[in-house]
Amino acid sequence: MLDVKDLTLNINIFEFIFILENLLHTYISRKFQNNFKIIIVFNYNESILFESLRKIVNKVLLSQKDYILPVMNKNQRKLVHKSILKLQHLISKSIGPENARQIVIKCTNKK
């Protein structure tokens, strides 16, 4: 058995939401024997949003791999797109249906 009382996870809010969605999806799908789609829309404080975005931008630039952000409302997506526009070598694109839009951040100078 794993003792998790001293476990510390160093993750950003986007990774936390992704993990939470997946855990809830697995639990509910097994509990009700049905394949539900869980979407968590988190109202990000702007400072949390920008700090997490800064970490994600660094990760995308270093790895040169696309990163999909969790579902956000229209205003949050607009802030992210504006921030990404100011940066070189990155683009952002919204994907998904209107009630579950996500942003993909892509590196434009892949090797």
Side-chain angles (χ1 to χ4, degrees), residues 12-27:
N12 64 51
I13 191 68
F14 299 127
E15 292 165 332
F16 174 75
I17 298 291
F18 178 76
I19 291 167
L20 187 58
E21 283 176 345
N22 284 305
L23 286 172
L24 285 171
H25 174 264
T26 300
Y27 175 77

Side-chain angles (χ1 to χ4, degrees), residues 28-65:
I28 291 172
S29 294
R30 288 181 182 170
K31 179 87 173 168
F32 297 103
Q33 298 176 351
N34 202 332
N35 192 16
F36 289 95
K37 174 70 176 158
I38 305 294
I39 298 172
I40 298 172
V41 179
F42 185 78
N43 288 323
Y44 303 93
N45 171 309
E46 276 190 34
S47 63
I48 292 172
L49 179 68
F50 288 129
E51 177 61 25
S52 295
L53 185 59
R54 185 185 61 77
K55 291 176 183 176
I56 297 301
V57 162
N58 289 334
K59 187 182 284 189
V60 171
L61 288 171
L62 286 173
S63 70
Q64 298 192 351
K65 293 182 181 176

